[in-house]
Amino acid sequence: MAIGKFITLEGGEGAGKSTQAELLAVRLRAIGLDVVMTREPGGSPFGERLRAVLLDATMPEHSALSEALLFYAARADHLETTIRPALAKGRWVICDRFADSTRAYQGTAGALDFKTIDTLDALVVAQTQPDLTLMIDLDPEVGMQRANARRCLQTNDAEETASHPDRFEGRAAAFHEALRRGFLDIAANNPERCAVIDGNNDAETISDNVWSIVKDRLQPGERK
Ligand code: T5A
């Protein structure tokens, strides 16, 4: 039975993950591959309901542990209902954020110990580790500017929307700096799985860089 490939995109706020996920899907589909695009938190009906809770900026403060448990609850369902069935059918799964985000956000930046995250990961993700993780690295200040600019464009009301970031976007600069370090540490510790990509370039140049890494590491051939 054909087994598909599992590609994740990671990085800080506004680094360009969603943009690159779309561009990569276009390239893979152009060579005949069956691609599933998904995201975290979310990616399944239950996961999307939890996403609304997790990103709600009005949610009362809660610990990094309770947050991580919710992310892993969403992830368990996402894996079970979306990712594993797609891979089993030979489809290529592109996921906008996955478990490295928990390690960076709730671990490095949120101070949850890595042993707890490792335990959750072994239970929930187990063998379904990504074949390739594309870490888009960008100065957090630039990423936040891009994310704010996009929010303004979406609603066409700059003052109104720029003042309503989600739970994570609204955090202090030190949090976003810690995140960046967290992602770069993960990449350094997992060089066989991860590739760091410079997010400062224009989207087309980044997409070319992504494509050359995907071709090199996963050899996507023509498979109709
Ligand atoms: N989270 C998630 C955790 O805390 N723990 C976890 O375990 C998980 C899974 C998810 C939040 O949840 C947290 C992390 C997040 O805070 P989200 O809405 O999915 O929330 O947030 P992000 O993943 O950060 O999504 P963003 O849309 O903010 O960022 P992207 O996807 O990195 O950026 P993208 O592609 O949407 O681009 C942002 C803007 O920049 C432009 C785009 O057109 C867009 O307007 N852009 C560029 N501009 C200039 N040059 C480029 N190269 C550009 N590329 C894109």
Side-chain angles (χ1 to χ4, degrees):
M1 186 174 57
I3 300 290
K5 297 287 183 194
F6 183 22
I7 301 173
T8 58
L9 289 101
E10 299 278 9
E13 306 289 328
K17 300 171 299 298
S18 313
T19 303
Q20 293 306 320
E22 298 270 355
L23 293 171
L24 177 58
V26 168
R27 298 219 199 207
L28 290 171
R29 284 177 179 139
I31 59 165
L33 290 171
D34 187 0
V35 176
V36 174
M37 293 188 67
T38 188
R39 68 173 180 181
E40 288 211 350
S44 66
F46 180 66
E48 291 292 330
R49 292 287 289 272
L50 288 183
R51 177 185 176 92
V53 171
L54 282 159
L55 302 192
D56 183 350
T58 66
M59 198 57 71
E61 268 316 304
H62 49 281
S63 70
L65 174 61
S66 52
E67 200 161 78
L69 289 168
L70 279 182
F71 275 112
Y72 269 97
R75 186 161 299 137
D77 188 69
H78 184 206
L79 280 158
E80 204 172 304
T81 61
T82 305
I83 297 175
R84 289 189 184 118
L87 292 172
K89 286 183 188 146
R91 306 179 79 185
W92 284 50
V93 175
I94 300 177
C95 189
D96 189 344
R97 293 196 184 279
F98 191 62
D100 293 326
S101 281
T102 312
R103 195 169 294 270
Y105 278 76
Q106 283 68 48
T108 309
L112 179 62
D113 64 282
F114 290 138
K115 210 169 148 218
T116 301
I117 296 174
D118 288 342
T119 304
L120 290 171
D121 209 72
L123 181 71
V124 173
V125 180
Q127 302 305 311
T128 318
Q129 299 293 336
D131 296 293
L132 174 64
T133 296
L134 301 159
M135 296 271 184
I136 305 186
D137 181 54
L138 185 65
D139 180 338
E141 214 174 301
V142 178
M144 288 308 298
Q145 281 164 7
R146 286 186 190 170
N148 285 337
R150 187 211 29 221
R151 258 202 311 279
C152 296
L153 268 180
Q154 275 167 348
T155 65
N156 214 8
D157 183 352
E159 282 182 26
E160 173 69 13
T161 54
S163 61
H164 294 296
D166 70 31
R167 281 198 68 239
F168 298 96
E169 287 171 343
R171 292 190 179 171
F175 179 87
H176 295 287
E177 284 296 344
L179 275 181
R180 185 184 197 183
R181 275 200 318 280
F183 282 120
L184 290 175
D185 284 349
I186 293 168
N189 292 332
N190 299 274
E192 66 300 329
R193 170 173 69 82
C194 300
V196 178
I197 290 144
D198 184 355
N200 278 297
N201 293 310
D202 62 89
E204 286 309 317
T205 304
I206 299 172
S207 174
D208 287 346
N209 294 341
V210 163
W211 186 232
S212 96
I213 290 163
V214 170
K215 278 198 298 186
D216 183 44
R217 299 228 189 164
L218 301 180
Q219 286 100 37
E222 183 122 10
R223 292 174 227 173
K224 299 251 179 195

